[in-house]
Every structure is written in structure tokens, then in C-alpha cells.
Amino acid sequence: MPQHTFVLNGESVTVDVEDDVRILWVLRDLLGVTGPKYGCGINVCKACTSHINGKAFNPCSVPVSALADDDEVTTIEGLPDTVGANLHPMQEAWLDRDVAQCGYCQPGQIMAAVALVRKVRDEGRAISEADLDTIRNICRCGTYTRIRQAIKQGAESM
Ligand code: FES
Ligand code: FES
């Protein structure tokens, strides 16, 4: 079986798995990293949203063979380490706003939020309502209003 190496939450990992297996299954089934959730498996619901090299991506739609040895995949489990704290400021804002209901979509929501704030900041702007409208992560519990409030609050301390 082919071997694939990449950086996961700051540590190099190597897995024996076929080239076409999607990264979500490598994370969840082979590496036991279950923060990225399985919703649709076809890049629609965004429950699996994680980061690759700091940008949002959906690991259910990318084969493991697409990863290079030095590609950095970050999941919700590794997010606090990116700021050297127990919780990322976006997670703090989430708790402060009591965003989650069932919680299933929330890791993906937080990872999408952090990537969006970084992108907007790189463009030299503050986050706007129009930026928030671009988030496509589905929440079956309908926590969208609190998500938007938390993103704005989290962005202030990022
Ligand atoms: S499980 Fe990845 S987008 Fe739905
Ligand atoms: S909190 Fe239940 S799906 Fe979003």
C-alpha cells in the first residue's frame, strides 16, 4: 500500500493507505482525529472544514495523494496550538456566546470562521456582513445568528 506523509496539527504523520482515499477518512478512521465531522462527504455541508496551510478546505473532497510531505493540515484539535493557548480566541468567543446546540457542525464552523477572518485581514479589511454571508457551513440546529455574533467578537481578539 502507498505511504503518504503530511504535517497534522504540527507533527509529521505517515499513513499506509490507497491514493484515492479522502483525507477525512484518513483523519478520522486511521489517525483517530474526529474533530472534522462527516456530514455529506461531497463538499456541500462543510461539517469537515479544516485548514490546509492556513486556508479552509474540506477534507472529504480531497484525496490523500494530493498532500505533499510539508503540507500542514490543521483540525479543530490543533487550532489552539496555532496561537499557543489552551483555546483559540474564536473558541473563546464561541463559548462566550454559547453558540452550540447539538454541536455537530461547530468544529467546521469555527475553522471556517478563523480562515475567513484571516483572509479578510490579509486583504486589509475588517469583517463585514457580506463576508459572513459567504460562509456556507450548514447548521441543522439553526445557530446562524449566534455564529455571526461570535465571529465578530472572535475577530476582535485574533
Ligand atoms: S462532510 Fe465534508 S463537506 Fe460535508
Ligand atoms: S449545532 Fe447542531 S448542527 Fe449546528
Side-chain angles (χ1 to χ4, degrees), residues 1-7 12-21 23 26 30-31 63-69:
M1 196 142 356
Q3 285 200 328
H4 299 280
T5 298
F6 58 100
V7 179
S12 180
V13 294
T14 300
V15 288
D16 290 308
V17 65
E18 296 296 348
D19 289 347
D20 60 351
V21 174
I23 296 168
V26 172
L30 300 184
L31 297 170
V64 67
S65 58
L67 291 174
D69 289 9

Side-chain angles (χ1 to χ4, degrees), residues 37-41 43-48 58 60:
K37 297 294 184 264
Y38 169 39
C40 65
N43 200 19
V44 171
C45 73
K46 315 297 184 188
C48 64
N58 290 101
C60 72

Side-chain angles (χ1 to χ4, degrees), residues 100-106 109 138-143:
Q101 287 194 32
C102 81
Y104 197 81
C105 73
Q106 302 293 334
Q109 302 280 8
I138 293 169
C139 176
R140 288 166 52 127
C141 301
T143 63

Side-chain angles (χ1 to χ4, degrees), residues 56-127:
F57 86 122
N58 290 101
C60 72
S61 62
V62 182
V64 67
S65 58
L67 291 174
D69 289 9
D70 59 352
D71 276 333
E72 296 192 23
V73 173
T74 306
T75 68
I76 191 80
E77 287 89 343
L79 187 64
D81 281 348
T82 65
V83 293
N86 288 333
L87 285 177
H88 188 279
M90 195 62 76
Q91 292 173 297
E92 299 272 17
W94 238 253
L95 289 173
D96 196 47
R97 294 282 173 168
D98 201 12
V99 174
Q101 287 194 32
C102 81
Y104 197 81
C105 73
Q106 302 293 334
Q109 302 280 8
I110 292 172
M111 297 306 277
V114 170
L116 178 64
V117 171
R118 281 188 193 146
K119 173 177 165 289
V120 168
R121 188 160 294 167
D122 286 349
E123 293 168 5
R125 302 186 289 112
I127 197 149

